[in-house]
Amino acid sequence: MGCGGSKAAEEDFKAALTVKKHEQEKVVARRNVKLLLLGTGESGKSTILKQMRLHHVGGYTDEERDGYREIVYANLIQSMQVVIEALHDLAMPIPAHLTGAAAYIMSIRVSAHEPCPPMLDRQVTRALLALWEDPQTKACVTKSREFQLNDSASYYFDGAARIGAIDYVPSDQDILRSRVKTTGLTEERFMVGQLQYVVFDVGGQRSERKKWIHCFENVNVLIFLVAISEYDQTLYEDSDVNRMNEAAGLFESISNSRWFAQSSVILFMNKTDLFRAKLVTSPIYEYYSDYEGPSDYPTGCAYMQSKFTPLYRNGSIHPLHCLFTCATDTFYRATAEECVESGIGVNLFLFPTQYIDVASLGVLPGITGGELFFHPRFEPVRDGGKLRAEIKRVAQRETGYSVTMRIRCSNGLRVADHFGNFFQRNVTDLEFGTLDADKAVAAKIKHEGKLDEKVDAHFQCAVLYTSATGQRRVRVHNLAVPVTNLLANVFRFADMDTTLAYIAKESITQTASKTLRQVRDQLTDSCVKALLAYRKHCASSTSPAQLILPESFKLFPLYALALMKSKALKGGPVASDVRTWHMRLLKSAGVAATVGLLYPRMFPVHTLADDVGFPDEAGRLVLPNLIRTSYVRMEPHGAYLIENGELAILWFGAGVSPQILQDLYAVENAEELDIRMGALPVLPTRLSTQLRNILAYFEIQRGGRSLPVLIARQNVDGTEIEFSNMLVEDANNEGLSYPDYLCAVHAAIQSRQEGEKGGDGGNTSMYTQFLS
């Protein structure tokens, strides 16, 4: 197969690229949302930013968590030092048996110039625990409104033993509660659907506010945070000024500024957890003479809101949105981790009619090893059969509980990363509340040492689990593969389907730290690199004008294009909940399910031979010949069935024979079809029997999953849009057709080859930008 090119064609291509680039820049500008976090010091701005990162960027790496370890140590020690000083100032004497521990803690110097050690020694931990166990210390902490103590102090004191352990790694909650004074500007970027959010966090202390002006321009959303739990506290900078009064004055000034006249304003009444707890011991009326009513949470919230909302004067342009928040709340993730500890896997069935934040809810099945079942706009007639099959599958499939998995490999190789839905405490073990045959994970193996061709490389996957009968079992899979120094052998024996499943899981994982466009570009780049390596090392004698595809990887460009057109990664408008569900689906799917989901099976119904759909002499079902997924392969008078493992669509052309409609649905013409139907009716016709037998076989292949059969009449039903999107080889989903993509990949390979000859490495990015 070949694609040729000329200088004129390349110039036309570059011109088209320039136009495309300008169009993309306009689209990017429309899809960028600039959020600015403002508020006084200690209002929770940085914590909100951390929550956004955990929720949308994929959390923190092991290296980043190591960096937070010293911050947590510093917060723990400095907070206890503040309490010890407060005990003296408040005339609350330290018991004699603890004076040594207190003196030792006070002797520890913690500053930017003298950071904490990478691990707390036992003496520090023992001293902290002894001090915190004393009732006098706890009584002092309850009076923290009289001195300046971090909100997270009690949390860290309660966890001192855990934090002082040798193998301590900061948890998400530890990171959220850590405190470091924000200086300058912190920026975070993340994607939600097709929108890229750019969030800016700036220091809230008075000395930092002069820097705010640098990020005031072109703000789409201003989020102003107020720590409502600080109604009984004064500023660090000025002990005569109440923190709430300072926040109110700053909010009035900022929210009505000309800089934010066209910006949406959201008021976060933050730290509701501390506010609720404090009301018991520190009534609001002791600090605000105009407060009337009981010192309870609802009344207190209403009063705090009344102190701020009247200060906003731009309500006629953009109404003020007021929310009560707890920035340290990680409910779904914390609940999921508790479920894993208890051997519980969460299977979540969702039936939304509007946005419900699947990204947050999906954490529960994603971490616990469960499954997410998504039924938007649920119709009992259409979707009831699939729901019943899903519930039956969940109840009857073999399941392991309290699962720990570890993958090992021989010397010279290393397991570098894992991809999928699981919980991971360390770099070696994957944990699941439950695990079943419908789930799969991928592992990246790195080659770091010399391997001997005479000795096989070995891999082992060991799973420790509890059976449904309560038996603790170990299941082990061992694999030995030959070692080769020849790249040609690698291509010859490579498995494209497995490669696709791995790349899909890796790509979905990368969406947490890269834009969708970057992920799609990287997919194309991976395809180009693989095919270029084959050409250079295995087919160097072939003509440069010819695109050479290795036998095992000849479908790589097609599968890469299919992945880029999936709802998980494609460009264009996709509902956030729908995209998130598809991401979860691909992260947990096995090899066969992944291939089927990305490149559906399609065959003509109107030309089925008489023996198709019935067993042959050996008892095997005769299957129809599949066709490529493109309108080019279809006829307007035909009927075609396409399925991807999740659903099947039966497409009827405008000129379809009435006999086919009669055989399948017992109707005379297409207008009589009931598009609410989700399954083929049982009719005594040969065609109906053939098609139902084929669908039943497909369902068995997919592990017993029910395949709803939807109807799409040409130029009539909205279902035809979904049908068209499943035709991967056509130009759709804001992507190229397969022939065009193949030629673009070939052009990128040629460009890189020429660049290597010229010494500049090629200009592949030009082509990947065009492909996006």
Side-chain angles (χ1 to χ4, degrees):
M1 163 170 213
C3 296
S6 65
K7 188 171 182 179
E10 185 173 346
E11 290 177 355
D12 290 343
F13 182 83
K14 289 181 179 179
L17 176 62
T18 302
V19 174
K20 179 84 171 179
K21 185 176 181 180
H22 288 312
E23 292 175 351
Q24 288 175 340
E25 288 174 351
K26 293 179 182 178
V27 172
V28 168
R30 289 196 300 268
R31 292 177 178 172
N32 272 354
V33 179
K34 182 177 178 180
L35 282 79
L36 181 61
L37 300 177
L38 294 182
T40 56
E42 298 295 313
S43 58
K45 300 183 298 299
S46 297
T47 309
I48 288 288
L49 191 63
K50 292 174 192 173
Q51 278 280 28
M52 289 179 175
R53 172 165 186 159
L54 284 171
H55 189 69
H56 297 290
V57 184
Y60 294 89
T61 65
D62 292 340
E63 184 177 352
E64 289 170 329
R65 289 182 189 276
D66 285 340
Y68 272 101
R69 183 188 288 115
E70 294 183 12
I71 295 174
V72 172
Y73 290 162
N75 285 175
L76 175 58
I77 294 170
Q78 289 172 333
S79 294
M80 187 57 78
Q81 290 173 340
V82 170
V83 172
I84 292 171
E85 291 178 347
L87 283 167
H88 179 269
D89 295 340
L90 297 174
M92 301 174 69
I94 299 174
H97 69 282
L98 292 178
T99 55
Y104 179 66
I105 294 298
M106 292 302 294
S107 69
I108 301 173
R109 298 177 62 85
V110 180
S111 67
H113 304 291
E114 298 181 64
C116 282
M119 182 182 73
L120 289 185
D121 63 45
R122 292 183 180 179
Q123 186 177 356
V124 174
T125 304
R126 284 196 296 266
L128 290 168
L129 289 172
L131 287 165
W132 183 234
E133 288 173 359
D134 183 66
Q136 190 83 315
T137 306
K138 294 181 178 178
C140 180
V141 170
T142 62
K143 302 181 182 219
S144 60
R145 65 182 178 277
E146 300 179 34
F147 57 97
Q148 306 291 352
L149 182 66
N150 280 342
D151 296 331
S152 55
S154 294
Y155 170 81
Y156 285 135
F157 294 158
D158 287 336
R162 173 178 60 85
I163 295 170
I166 295 176
D167 58 350
Y168 168 67
V169 176
S171 66
D172 290 342
Q173 194 65 214
D174 293 342
I175 293 173
L176 285 173
R177 291 179 179 270
S178 65
R179 295 289 182 267
V180 178
K181 179 181 176 182
T182 302
T183 57
L185 180 68
T186 303
E187 178 182 337
E188 190 75 72
R189 294 172 180 264
F190 55 86
M191 296 292 297
V192 177
Q194 283 296 299
L195 297 179
Q196 176 175 252
Y197 286 81
V198 186
V199 187
F200 295 94
D201 173 27
V202 292
Q205 288 75 16
R206 286 178 172 178
S207 60
E208 293 293 319
R209 294 175 195 168
K210 60 180 178 289
K211 305 174 185 177
W212 289 6
I213 191 70
H214 299 296
C215 50
F216 276 9
E217 287 188 319
N218 302 317
V219 172
N220 300 103
V221 181
L222 168 65
I223 299 178
F224 192 93
L225 283 90
V226 178
I228 60 173
S229 61
E230 296 180 346
Y231 62 90
D232 60 351
Q233 294 177 256
T234 58
L235 295 179
Y236 278 106
E237 307 95 317
D238 188 345
S239 60
D240 294 328
V241 178
N242 179 277
R243 291 192 183 186
M244 287 290 287
N245 293 340
E246 173 83 355
L250 185 61
F251 173 72
E252 182 177 22
S253 172
I254 290 294
S255 64
N256 298 302
S257 167
R258 63 181 179 83
W259 291 100
F260 306 114
Q262 300 302 319
S263 303
S264 296
V265 180
I266 303 176
L267 178 63
F268 276 15
M269 309 297 278
N270 197 30
K271 300 191 178 182
T272 55
D273 55 334
L274 299 176
F275 178 67
R276 187 192 296 269
K278 188 177 280 190
L279 288 174
V280 179
T281 57
S282 185
I284 298 176
Y285 57 75
E286 292 185 2
Y287 304 91
Y288 290 91
S289 58
D290 62 337
Y291 181 79
E292 298 178 355
S295 186
D296 59 24
Y297 181 73
T299 308
C301 287
Y303 175 77
M304 291 301 170
Q305 184 174 348
S306 71
K307 286 289 185 182
F308 285 84
T309 51
L311 303 177
Y312 180 67
R313 297 187 292 273
N314 290 331
S316 59
I317 303 174
H318 291 287
L320 176 67
H321 303 278
C322 184
L323 301 173
F324 288 85
T325 60
C326 173
T328 58
D329 184 15
T330 54
F331 171 76
Y332 290 113
R333 186 172 184 88
T335 302
E337 291 179 11
E338 289 181 21
C339 288
V340 173
E341 289 278 0
S342 303
I344 298 171
V346 178
N347 293 293
L348 197 59
F349 292 82
L350 301 177
F351 308 89
T353 57
Q354 58 186 4
Y355 173 77
I356 59 170
D357 193 9
V358 173
S360 295
L361 297 172
V363 170
L364 289 169
I367 289 180
T368 64
E371 193 164 350
L372 180 62
F373 299 95
F374 190 62
H375 296 275
R377 297 179 297 279
F378 181 78
E379 284 280 351
V381 175
R382 181 191 65 200
D383 305 317
K386 183 177 183 180
L387 176 61
R388 285 190 292 271
E390 289 171 344
I391 295 174
K392 181 179 179 181
R393 176 68 176 167
V394 168
Q396 294 183 346
R397 66 189 174 194
E398 186 74 19
T399 302
Y401 302 86
S402 298
V403 181
T404 301
M405 176 188 293
R406 179 178 291 187
I407 301 172
R408 301 178 176 91
C409 50
S410 35
N411 292 334
L413 301 171
R414 178 175 67 89
V415 180
D417 211 342
H418 304 84
F419 306 105
N421 292 330
F422 48 76
F423 177 55
Q424 191 170 14
R425 302 176 195 271
N426 53 55
V427 297
T428 57
D429 295 337
L430 310 182
E431 297 181 43
F432 309 80
T434 60
L435 188 63
D436 56 74
D438 294 334
K439 309 299 184 301
V441 297
K444 177 192 285 186
I445 309 295
K446 282 195 173 181
H447 177 201
E448 294 188 332
K450 184 174 177 60
L451 298 179
D452 189 348
E453 276 194 292
K454 300 177 182 178
V455 181
D456 288 349
H458 293 83
F459 302 90
Q460 181 186 82
C461 179
V463 179
L464 175 67
Y465 68 100
T466 301
S467 69
T469 58
Q471 293 178 308
R472 199 64 175 157
R473 299 176 179 176
V474 177
R475 178 172 293 186
V476 179
H477 290 274
N478 295 314
L479 176 67
V481 297
V483 176
T484 179
N485 286 326
L486 298 176
L487 187 60
N489 286 338
V490 175
F491 279 103
R492 182 175 298 115
F493 298 107
D495 188 308
M496 185 65 246
D497 290 358
T498 303
T499 302
L500 174 65
Y502 168 83
I503 290 175
K505 293 183 187 331
E506 183 183 43
S507 298
I508 298 302
T509 302
Q510 289 174 343
T511 59
S513 57
K514 297 181 179 181
T515 66
L516 294 177
R517 179 183 171 186
Q518 289 173 330
V519 173
R520 293 194 297 269
D521 286 351
Q522 185 168 319
L523 275 170
T524 295
D525 192 54
S526 297
C527 183
V528 169
K529 285 180 177 178
L531 299 181
L532 178 61
Y534 181 78
R535 170 180 283 280
K536 287 173 57 179
H537 301 287
C538 307
S540 57
S541 61
T542 57
S543 169
Q546 186 177 4
L547 177 61
I548 304 299
L549 300 175
E551 182 61 29
S552 61
F553 270 26
K554 64 183 179 182
L555 295 179
F556 196 173
L558 177 59
Y559 282 160
L561 180 64
L563 181 55
M564 287 188 284
K565 289 185 175 185
S566 68
K567 285 187 174 66
L569 298 180
K570 76 173 187 175
V574 179
S576 176
D577 284 346
V578 174
R579 191 185 293 278
T580 302
W581 174 64
H582 277 270
M583 286 182 173
R584 288 286 181 193
L585 188 61
L586 283 172
K587 282 187 74 173
S588 65
V591 174
T594 300
V595 174
L597 189 65
L598 296 177
Y599 193 91
R601 292 184 286 197
M602 184 170 75
F603 62 88
V605 175
H606 60 290
T607 59
L608 288 181
D610 289 345
D611 61 335
V612 171
F614 296 105
D616 60 13
E617 295 178 355
R620 291 188 292 266
L621 191 74
V622 178
L623 295 174
N625 294 322
L626 303 179
I627 64 173
R628 295 169 66 170
T629 54
S630 172
Y631 270 120
V632 175
R633 310 283 173 172
M634 299 168 59
E635 299 172 331
H637 62 273
Y640 297 85
L641 187 134
I642 191 169
E643 69 88 23
N644 64 2
E646 289 296 317
L647 62 88
I649 298 179
L650 193 51
W651 182 90
F652 295 107
V656 66
S657 169
Q659 187 61 49
I660 293 177
L661 300 175
Q662 181 69 40
D663 289 346
L664 293 178
Y665 288 97
V667 296
E668 298 295 334
N669 56 67
E671 287 74 18
E672 297 179 16
L673 288 170
D674 183 358
I675 61 171
R676 296 176 304 165
M677 296 181 65
L680 286 173
V682 179
L683 299 175
T685 64
R686 170 179 285 272
L687 186 59
S688 175
T689 304
Q690 287 177 293
L691 206 52
R692 284 186 285 106
N693 287 347
I694 294 170
L695 287 169
Y697 177 80
F698 287 168
E699 290 177 350
I700 293 172
Q701 278 191 319
R702 304 298 194 193
R705 292 177 178 270
S706 175
L707 274 177
V709 182
L710 308 183
I711 297 172
R713 295 168 293 186
Q714 186 178 17
N715 301 326
V716 175
D717 299 317
T719 322
E720 190 178 21
I721 297 175
E722 182 67 24
F723 177 83
S724 299
N725 289 338
M726 294 169 73
L727 300 180
V728 177
E729 298 195 25
D730 287 341
N732 52 29
N733 295 294
E734 295 202 355
L736 300 175
S737 68
Y738 179 48
D740 289 342
Y741 181 75
L742 207 55
C743 286
V745 167
H746 185 212
I749 293 173
Q750 288 180 309
S751 175
R752 184 164 293 189
Q753 278 185 299
E754 293 171 1
E756 290 178 353
K757 291 177 182 178
D760 63 357
N763 185 22
T764 309
S765 61
M766 177 179 71
Y767 297 96
T768 55
Q769 288 177 29
F770 184 76
L771 294 170
S772 300

